[in-house]
Amino acid sequence: MPAVSKGDGMRGLAVFISDIRNCKSKEAEIKRINKELANIRSKFKGDKALDGYSKKKYVCKLLFIFLLGHDIDFGHMEAVNLLSSNKYTEKQIGYLFISVLVNSNSELIRLINNAIKNDLSSRNPTFMCLALHCIANVGSREMAEAFASEIPRILVAGDTMDSVKQSAALCLLRLYKTSPDLVLMGEWTSRVVHLLNDQHMGVVTAAISLITCLSQKNPDEFKTCVSLAVSRLSRIVSSASTDLQDYTYYFVPAPWLSCKLLRLLQCYPPPEDGAVKGRLVECLETILNKAQEPPKSKKVQHSNAKNAILFEAISLIIHYDSEPNLLVRACNQLGQFLQHRETNLRYLALESMCTLASSEFSHEAVKTHIETVINALKTERDVSVRQRAADLLYAMCDRSNAKQIVAEMLSYLETADYSIREEMVLKVAILAEKYAVDYSWYVDTILNLIRIAGDYVSEEVWYRVIQIVINRDDVQGYAAKTVFEALQAPACHENMVKVGGYILGEFGNLIAGDPRSSPLVQFNLLHSKFHLCSVPTRALLLSAYIKFINLFPETKATIQEVLRCDSQIRNSDVELQQRAVEYLKLSSIASTDVLATVLEEMPPFPERESSILAKLKKKKGPGAVSVTELEDSKREGGELNGGGDRGQDTATMAASNASTPSPSADLLGIRSTAPLGAAPASAGSLLVDVFSEAGPTAPSAAVNDDGFLRDLEQPTETSDSLLVEGSGDLDSAPPSEDPAPPLSEADDLLNKFVCKNNGVLFENQLLQIGIKSEYRQNLGRMYLFYGNKTSVQFASFTTTVSCPGELQSQLNVQTKPVEPLVEGGAQIQQVLNIECLTDFSDAPLLNIKFRYGGALQNLTLKLPVTINKFFQPTEMTSHDFFQRWKQLSQPQQEAQKIFKANNSMDTEVLKAKLLGLGTALLDNVDPNPENYVCAGVIQTKSQQVGCLLRLEPNAQAQVQHTDSPERVSHNYSSIPNFLHYLSPYSVNI
Amino acid sequence: MQFMLLFSRQGKLRLQKWYVPLSDKERKKISRDLVQTILARKPKMCSFLEWRDLKIVYKRYASLYFCCAVEDQDNELITLEIIHRYVELLDKYFGSVCELDIIFNFEKAYFILDEFLLGGEAQETSKKNVLKAIEQADLLQEVRIFLYHQVAEPIREIDCQLDSSWSRAATK
């Protein structure tokens, strides 16, 4: 207990807080809280009317409990009652409770608004301030509706007290931020601007925040504020440190107000009036001069306040970007800070210099600091400072220093923090491309990038290097030679194999003259990597092989031998098998001329903005990139992957290009996300089955026996249909009529996605939510696309992803908030990063709230994240399979389910479903060819669990029979569970 | 400013003020993540970090961390001094404030904050004026607050750069 207490006010509260603090365990705390809640509830419900003091005390206790993190579901009414108390303290606690625990119960809101209305008209400044604070703290739309017209009146009325004006200004700002449509400009606007001249510094400080926000949205109506702001700033800057009395902070006159004034000026271009501009330049010079003066105090508060103004002034100078003299001075000042002993200043100097680097006047001045910045990248101990240094190097890079900067960034990459590697890789790739004078340097850089940080090299990066090599014939020979050398390394990254396969397949002939890289040597080198690669890379290599047959007829026999072998032509992966069969056939029946035409060198790609750049913009968060840019990047990706007009080999190459390094676990996902071009038809049609949910009648017809030739004849048609596959799929989903479906429907929505990764999760008349996801080992990434189907803006659009209950410890889902406004017809994207920590059975919840017209829309869906998404397919022989199968005989290791087929049991549909499940479909394992056998490993962070599956269709009885033993000995509970719900939907038989 | 959090070295939230509409769940998640992130940082590291789409500005005073989340265009250094001014206000009001003062008189900590910052913006930066407003309010009630500074370690800057109010606290 506290040693000293003045009086005995709310002693019960102090005792309660003490009790909580003395609780030894979480359980004890919860017990004590429950006891208190029961007590308070009985007091509130009791027959005896409570006096104001007791009510205040109990409401305060409830507030304390809520702030500890517990839920409070009563007491709101008592708090509202306190609002109308005549005693200040009771009123104050009532308002505090409402501010913290606001509840959109309409009945209460009406009562609260009434109480606020009374206090606002009370003419008692303390009561008025309390009411205004409450509005500003809650800031709900209901309050905006009630008070948005009243507050401007209070703000500009002649007889309003200063303190009330201050609260009113910021209260109005909050309402304007939440409901700009309800705060109407009027004759008060010009009077608000004149508050900049107010005698009371506090009023100016509060009002300027409001003015800045209003100016950003209505620059013309507020432009008179510029000259007022300049003269106010000038007066502050030139004042002696004691002039402003209590507004001087550690010898710095009015630092907060100065910063806000400089910030307001950044909403406008430089003043046109010469006198005003002259005065402003004078201010800026004075601020820069003061930075050179000796400090008036050794306290960090003094230098922080002074430098806060300095940095804001530099921001303004950069914003104007028209005063070379000031820009260079700013740069020199920041240069001094780069070596300052305060980490904070070094950080801010690096950040601020980034923007200076993009000005033509100061770019050269920034460049002079290159050595210091490189040194910072190498030696700073704080990763956030190193990140700033890397950003600055990127910003200051130009043709003259590109080689040095790229080399430094590459060497930093070897030790860089994992969190920033992907961004660094993109930046290096962009700089290398942008400033490449000779493209051999470019090729070297990208290959180095793959060597050093292969895991972080995204598709966009290696697509881009291929694009550039294809388009520039002066670099093709060099590229072929370099990849050939890079592939010699005993362990090389799969991305390197992809680039190597592609480039040698196109340009291997350019180095074939050298006996050390003769055709057969090239082929053997590539093929030596084949078995280590994932399915998509293997598919790419097969395409490279058929290109070899055309380039080097002498390799034909060897390659045909490879294609013919069982592991290719009977490969359980339908894509690989298809390629092997078709390429083998093509090489045997087509004449040389036909081969040469079909396998002609890739035509140049049309010039376009780098897709990497788009990717970097995307990484910078949703705020930094507009929807159109995102769409551009998507479209680009499509074109890059060989839009439909380039013939079959382009498309097959492209199909494999589209892969991530992930194994076939998400093969189906990959196929659907990448525009396939003219991919082999049967694979294509299978895909359509899985995603269109069309049922089993259509698909078998689509399996095309002469698919390959048909592709050749109608490449565009095929590719078109596949290109639109994503959106077609979106359209085919049945629109739900309910604006906000109850949670119970969410299960059905969820189950649609057990075997697929993309499609429409939800749709109603207003909103469509599309999903694209990919998984790799225990990690996943999900892209949610929220499309506004109406022509009206959605406001306050927020989405929340949560993991209820024990799921919280089983699954880790991270995301960033989305933009709060979705324009009519627009689509916004949200990325979720998912990590499977351990076995789980529930699905995470996605809650979406927005306002359409005035009405709040609120819906909750289940996100289709199921344990099978973390399957890694496993190949095994019949012998291995049954050996393991037999070892799994204990009851908890095995689950069996017999269920009736919902539809006819079509082989292709079944196979697609099973592949969609994420397991490998094993051929020639089960002695009964009717049965399907699958194997996979579920990857979680804590463990890996093998899983075997047999599906035994019984055509006569239309019954299926699934067995699923697991390889681990202990109980792995969710597998049978998910099989259970999986079966009727995904296997769909 | 989007929100302000005060938490102890043990990661216990002592005060939370949200200036943007967020669900309770979202708030809990943000607090949890951010507290973890900041507690994992070493003492001499920079006071600023990028976190999600926000800039985080934080400073430790004795056992308490003060942490603000501001938007991209906001000034980090001035935010740091907002924190300091708030600490000064608490210190002046409670008389060398300590963590226990804020625990037991949490409602006062909120009232002082509301006088100083409103809607995430500085409302009144003069220490005198803020305290005057609070004292006037206190006059309307019987002054009954508990003071704990004599039993607990006062909040004080860890780098020992004490200003007048701190040195006063130190001499007590």
Side-chain angles (χ1 to χ4, degrees):
Chain A
M1 266 305 288
V4 182
S5 72
K6 284 189 194 168
D8 57 356
M10 292 210 280
R11 184 164 206 97
L13 175 66
V15 170
F16 174 58
I17 296 175
S18 274
D19 283 0
I20 295 290
R21 287 179 51 75
N22 290 334
C23 286
K24 294 279 184 289
S25 65
K26 194 80 197 159
E27 288 70 38
E29 181 183 310
I30 289 172
K31 212 174 146 198
R32 178 70 184 86
I33 284 169
N34 285 336
K35 187 180 150 203
E36 193 63 39
L37 286 176
N39 171 40
I40 298 173
R41 201 168 294 180
S42 74
K43 286 284 191 313
F44 283 169
K45 278 201 182 137
D47 307 329
K48 226 170 41 181
L50 287 176
D51 59 6
Y53 168 78
S54 313
K55 219 181 270 177
K56 175 181 83 173
K57 185 179 72 186
Y58 293 130
V59 165
C60 215
K61 279 183 180 174
L62 286 178
L63 188 56
F64 182 79
I65 293 171
F66 177 78
L67 290 170
L68 276 181
H70 302 269
D71 290 333
I72 295 295
D73 53 6
F74 68 103
H76 299 80
M77 196 39 120
E78 285 73 14
V80 173
N81 288 341
L82 286 177
L83 296 185
S84 43
S85 163
N86 286 328
K87 286 207 177 122
Y88 180 76
T89 57
E90 288 165 19
K91 196 188 271 293
Q92 199 183 23
I93 294 291
Y95 272 125
L96 181 61
F97 185 93
I98 301 296
S99 303
V100 175
L101 261 138
V102 68
N103 173 315
S104 51
N105 181 324
S106 58
E107 187 57 25
L108 278 182
I109 284 287
R110 207 174 48 78
L111 292 173
I112 295 167
N113 282 355
N114 263 339
I116 291 177
K117 212 163 265 167
N118 288 337
D119 281 334
L120 282 184
S121 52
S122 69
R123 312 198 64 78
N124 172 338
T126 6
F127 285 8
M128 286 173 89
C129 281
L130 271 186
L132 290 168
H133 290 178
C134 179
I135 302 174
N137 282 327
V138 176
S140 68
R141 194 160 174 95
E142 289 81 2
M143 288 199 172
E145 277 161 3
F147 302 109
S149 53
E150 172 73 12
I151 293 168
R153 271 203 294 276
I154 298 176
L155 177 59
V156 298
D159 56 350
T160 305
M161 299 266 295
D162 288 333
S163 60
V164 178
K165 270 190 200 164
Q166 286 167 276
S167 299
L170 293 175
C171 184
L172 190 56
L173 170 61
R174 175 72 196 262
L175 294 186
Y176 185 74
K177 278 184 184 164
T178 34
S179 318
D181 53 319
L182 295 177
V183 179
L184 303 172
M185 299 299 134
E187 56 95 35
W188 59 273
T189 36
S190 63
R191 300 178 64 182
V192 164
V193 174
H194 282 273
L195 289 176
L196 286 176
N197 267 338
D198 202 284
Q199 294 213 315
H200 191 284
M201 292 281 275
V203 172
V204 190
T205 308
I208 193 169
S209 297
L210 172 67
I211 295 167
T212 306
C213 182
L214 293 170
S215 301
Q216 280 163 341
K217 297 278 162 61
N218 324 277
D220 285 340
E221 290 185 56
F222 287 86
K223 62 171 179 271
T224 48
C225 70
V226 174
S227 61
L228 292 176
V230 170
S231 62
R232 190 92 211 193
L233 180 68
S234 164
R235 267 181 285 158
I236 297 173
V237 168
S238 57
S239 66
S241 55
T242 50
D243 287 357
L244 300 174
Q245 295 163 352
D246 208 37
Y247 289 92
T248 296
Y249 179 80
Y250 292 85
F251 304 102
V252 182
W256 285 282
L257 182 52
S258 305
C259 285
K260 285 184 178 191
L261 286 163
L262 289 161
R263 173 93 199 89
L264 170 60
L265 291 171
Q266 288 170 60
C267 302
Y268 289 92
E272 281 157 21
D273 183 329
V276 176
K277 187 169 179 193
R279 207 166 171 197
L280 178 57
V281 169
E282 217 170 90
C283 286
L284 295 171
E285 277 170 347
T286 315
I287 294 171
L288 284 167
N289 290 341
K290 280 189 178 172
Q292 298 299 325
E293 289 170 8
K296 293 196 176 69
S297 154
K298 284 205 175 107
K299 300 233 169 64
V300 70
Q301 283 75 31
H302 171 71
S303 69
N304 278 350
K306 195 165 123 180
N307 291 328
I309 300 173
L310 178 64
F311 276 106
E312 207 59 66
I314 292 176
S315 295
L316 182 62
I317 293 170
I318 296 171
H319 168 76
Y320 287 162
D321 199 15
S322 60
E323 300 285 326
N325 172 38
L326 288 176
L327 281 162
V328 171
R329 282 193 66 186
C331 185
N332 293 340
Q333 183 60 54
L334 294 177
Q336 287 181 19
F337 285 157
L338 285 183
Q339 317 223 33
H340 202 280
R341 63 182 175 83
E342 281 265 338
T343 314
N344 288 348
L345 284 182
R346 293 198 304 276
Y347 176 96
L348 294 174
L350 288 165
E351 184 183 63
S352 192
M353 247 192 199
C354 250
T355 37
L356 265 184
S358 54
S359 161
E360 53 169 323
F361 300 113
S362 50
H363 184 78
E364 286 305 315
V366 171
K367 273 168 61 185
T368 60
H369 300 287
I370 184 165
E371 296 302 332
T372 320
V373 182
I374 287 173
N375 197 39
L377 185 65
K378 287 179 178 160
T379 58
E380 282 289 353
R381 275 186 293 175
D382 186 343
V383 54
S384 38
V385 186
R386 289 199 295 273
Q387 168 85 61
R388 290 283 85 83
D391 287 350
L392 178 53
L393 282 180
Y394 177 74
M396 67 160 72
C397 191
D398 64 14
R399 210 160 288 258
S400 73
N401 57 18
K403 284 197 178 174
Q404 186 189 7
I405 286 179
V406 165
E408 291 295 347
M409 286 173 106
L410 270 177
S411 78
Y412 174 62
L413 251 181
E414 301 199 36
T415 54
D417 313 77
Y418 294 105
S419 54
I420 64 172
R421 281 196 185 182
E422 192 184 351
E423 199 182 320
M424 291 282 292
V425 165
L426 290 175
K427 285 182 166 167
V428 170
I430 290 167
L431 293 179
E433 179 186 338
K434 202 164 161 195
Y435 299 115
V437 188
D438 71 281
Y439 277 85
S440 53
W441 172 71
Y442 170 75
V443 170
D444 283 343
T445 304
I446 301 296
L447 294 186
N448 261 328
L449 209 51
I450 296 176
R451 212 174 3 239
I452 294 170
D455 281 341
Y456 298 88
V457 171
S458 57
E459 297 169 349
E460 286 84 349
V461 173
W462 76 262
Y463 289 171
R464 189 66 184 163
V465 67
I466 283 171
Q467 214 177 13
I468 285 172
V469 170
I470 300 272
N471 285 13
R472 303 195 59 96
D473 40 19
D474 54 334
V475 75
Q476 289 161 355
Y478 181 79
K481 180 167 160 289
T482 327
V483 286
F484 177 78
E485 281 161 10
L487 286 173
Q488 311 274 346
C492 62
H493 196 273
E494 192 162 334
N495 280 336
M496 189 71 90
V497 179
K498 289 178 188 165
V499 176
Y502 203 111
I503 289 186
L504 292 181
E506 291 294 322
F507 309 114
N509 55 326
L510 299 176
I511 56 167
D514 188 326
R516 284 168 300 175
S517 52
S518 72
L520 220 49
V521 174
Q522 285 184 41
F523 171 74
N524 287 333
L525 180 61
L526 279 180
H527 199 53
S528 69
K529 314 285 182 192
F530 188 90
H531 305 278
L532 303 169
C533 291
S534 66
V535 168
T537 307
R538 291 186 191 187
L540 183 146
L541 285 177
L542 288 178
S543 298
Y545 296 170
I546 186 72
K547 289 226 149 192
F548 267 45
I549 292 183
N550 178 45
L551 287 181
F552 317 116
E554 67 266 37
T555 59
K556 183 170 169 175
T558 318
I559 290 174
Q560 281 185 334
E561 197 53 45
V562 168
L563 292 175
R564 202 175 287 128
C565 90
D566 272 1
S567 63
Q568 309 295 357
I569 210 157
R570 315 188 68 142
N571 194 295
S572 65
D573 183 89
V574 65
E575 174 73 32
L576 292 182
Q577 190 187 97
Q578 177 106 20
R579 287 191 190 211
V581 171
E582 290 182 355
Y583 292 160
L584 184 60
K585 213 67 187 158
L586 176 69
S587 65
S588 4
I589 59 171
S591 69
T592 334
D593 287 349
V594 171
L595 260 191
T597 316
V598 173
L599 301 170
E600 203 178 0
E601 189 180 304
M602 296 281 284
F605 289 87
E607 283 303 328
R608 61 174 77 94
E609 194 211 2
S610 164
S611 52
I612 320 175
L613 214 54
K615 166 115 179 173
L616 184 68
K617 285 183 201 154
K618 216 187 310 190
K619 268 194 78 67
K620 283 297 185 186
V625 59
S626 70
V627 177
T628 44
E629 276 172 307
L630 282 173
E631 276 164 4
D632 281 349
S633 76
K634 260 187 265 164
R635 195 164 48 240
E636 236 163 55
E639 286 166 11
L640 178 58
N641 293 340
D645 55 355
R646 271 192 228 107
Q648 198 262 347
D649 54 7
T650 319
T652 42
M653 281 268 189
S656 23
N657 286 359
S659 66
T660 55
S662 62
S664 54
D666 53 357
L667 199 59
L668 286 173
I670 285 160
R671 285 178 188 161
S672 69
T673 54
L676 271 169
S682 65
S685 55
L686 244 187
L687 192 87
V688 176
D689 296 350
V690 178
F691 291 103
S692 64
E693 297 275 317
T697 43
S700 56
V703 177
N704 193 331
D705 32 16
D706 58 349
F708 175 58
L709 285 174
R710 204 188 65 162
D711 280 346
L712 278 182
E713 285 155 18
Q714 309 171 309
T716 40
E717 198 180 322
T718 322
S719 66
D720 278 350
S721 64
L722 285 167
L723 275 168
V724 297
E725 192 269 325
S727 55
D729 185 29
L730 297 189
D731 292 337
S732 69
S736 154
E737 294 299 318
D738 292 333
L743 205 61
S744 60
E745 274 187 41
D747 276 316
D748 298 1
L749 296 170
L750 178 72
N751 289 331
K752 258 180 30 185
F753 285 84
V754 169
C755 285
K756 66 177 188 173
N757 286 331
N758 308 300
V760 170
L761 177 64
F762 171 79
E763 178 160 25
N764 64 13
Q765 286 146 331
L766 307 178
L767 176 73
Q768 181 187 62
I769 305 173
I771 258 189
K772 254 166 76 171
S773 48
E774 47 193 10
Y775 293 87
R776 184 182 174 191
Q777 295 175 338
N778 70 323
L779 301 177
R781 183 167 291 176
M782 181 176 282
Y783 298 85
L784 293 169
F785 299 91
Y786 303 99
N788 181 344
K789 288 172 67 182
T790 71
S791 54
V792 184
Q793 187 188 59
F794 291 164
S796 313
F797 192 89
T798 53
T799 65
T800 318
V801 178
S802 57
C803 293
E806 58 178 2
L807 189 59
Q808 204 164 13
S809 57
Q810 296 164 340
L811 202 64
N812 185 2
V813 184
Q814 290 197 326
T815 186
K816 288 185 174 173
V818 292
E819 285 292 296
L821 292 182
V822 187
E823 296 298 339
Q827 189 186 58
I828 59 168
Q829 184 189 347
Q830 184 176 32
V831 186
L832 310 181
N833 288 315
I834 302 161
E835 184 185 18
C836 174
L837 303 173
T838 180
D839 170 22
F840 65 96
S841 49
D842 286 334
L845 299 178
L846 171 68
N847 175 261
I848 299 144
K849 286 201 185 94
F850 59 93
R851 288 192 178 274
Y852 170 72
L856 178 71
Q857 308 286 329
N858 182 352
L859 65 111
T860 302
L861 302 166
K862 286 190 177 176
L863 280 177
V865 181
T866 45
I867 187 77
N868 67 301
K869 301 291 182 193
F870 303 94
F871 253 131
Q872 183 129 3
T874 314
E875 303 281 350
M876 58 178 79
T877 62
S878 177
H879 176 258
D880 284 348
F881 183 89
F882 282 103
Q883 195 173 17
R884 289 175 196 195
W885 185 271
K886 282 177 193 123
Q887 283 166 6
L888 299 167
S889 50
Q890 290 166 32
Q892 75 270 27
Q893 290 179 318
E894 199 168 351
Q896 187 173 36
K897 187 170 169 62
I898 299 169
F899 49 91
K900 194 158 163 48
N902 293 350
N903 306 100
S904 76
M905 291 185 277
D906 183 271
T907 317
E908 292 306 324
V909 177
L910 269 177
K911 280 186 176 170
K913 291 285 182 193
L914 288 168
L915 280 175
L917 191 61
T919 51
L921 191 56
L922 306 178
D923 283 348
N924 305 320
V925 168
D926 200 293
N928 179 353
E930 296 295 315
N931 292 349
Y932 300 89
V933 172
C934 302
V937 178
I938 290 186
Q939 308 268 349
T940 75
K941 194 181 177 192
S942 55
Q943 59 175 348
Q944 303 191 338
V945 180
C947 180
L948 307 177
L949 185 142
R950 271 167 91 194
L951 185 68
E952 302 172 18
N954 179 338
Q956 280 75 41
Q958 290 280 302
V959 160
Q960 305 235 0
H961 182 188
T962 319
D963 276 10
S964 161
E966 300 108 33
R967 258 181 25 216
V968 286
S969 53
H970 62 84
N971 182 14
Y972 199 71
S973 60
S974 67
I975 299 291
N977 283 350
F978 91 78
L979 263 179
H980 178 78
Y981 75 70
L982 184 90
S983 38
Y985 294 97
S986 50
V987 183
N988 225 349
I989 305 147
Chain B
M1 187 183 298
Q2 300 226 337
F3 56 86
M4 184 191 238
L5 303 176
L6 266 65
F7 52 90
S8 69
R9 252 182 303 182
Q10 291 75 34
K12 288 228 178 222
L13 264 190
R14 295 305 183 201
L15 182 141
Q16 41 175 322
K17 190 78 189 179
W18 303 87
Y19 297 111
V20 283
L22 289 170
S23 71
D24 194 36
K25 228 173 203 155
E26 186 89 27
R27 290 176 180 185
K28 279 185 182 156
K29 179 157 173 45
I30 289 176
S31 320
R32 207 173 43 235
D33 292 359
L34 197 54
V35 167
Q36 262 178 14
T37 309
I38 290 177
L39 288 179
R41 288 173 65 86
K42 298 191 184 73
K44 281 291 166 192
M45 280 188 169
C46 168
S47 309
F48 319 125
L49 61 140
E50 277 186 349
W51 188 79
R52 301 191 182 176
D53 291 336
L54 299 171
K55 295 203 277 200
I56 303 296
V57 178
Y58 72 95
K59 184 158 181 172
R60 183 177 146 187
Y61 289 85
S63 58
L64 268 190
Y65 283 85
F66 289 69
C67 160
C68 296
V70 296
E71 278 132 274
D72 193 45
Q73 72 276 9
D74 288 329
N75 188 314
E76 291 97 336
L77 284 175
I78 209 73
T79 310
L80 205 51
E81 294 318 299
I82 288 224
I83 291 177
H84 187 74
R85 172 107 303 176
Y86 182 48
V87 175
E88 283 184 358
L89 288 166
L90 293 171
D91 194 68
K92 200 95 180 172
Y93 182 76
F94 289 106
S96 73
V97 64
C98 67
E99 194 182 335
L100 283 176
D101 288 320
I102 296 172
I103 296 172
F104 280 90
N105 301 293
F106 67 96
E107 77 282 10
K108 288 287 174 202
Y110 279 95
F111 297 147
I112 295 171
L113 188 58
D114 271 353
E115 290 295 336
F116 174 43
L117 297 179
L118 192 60
E121 299 282 338
Q123 174 176 217
E124 178 55 86
T125 58
S126 151
K127 194 154 59 172
K128 272 187 203 149
N129 289 354
V130 173
L131 290 171
K132 205 164 71 192
I134 292 288
E135 277 155 16
Q136 267 173 0
D138 277 346
L139 285 180
L140 295 171
Q141 61 182 303
E142 325 80 283
V143 181
R144 284 173 183 170
I145 58 158
F146 301 102
L147 296 169
Y148 297 90
H149 57 270
Q150 297 190 347
V151 287
E153 179 194 15
I155 292 178
R156 175 184 309 151
E157 278 171 286
I158 45 169
D159 57 7
C160 294
Q161 283 175 321
L162 303 176
D163 66 58
S164 55
S165 63
W166 300 114
S167 51
R168 186 179 49 73
T171 54
K172 264 194 180 167

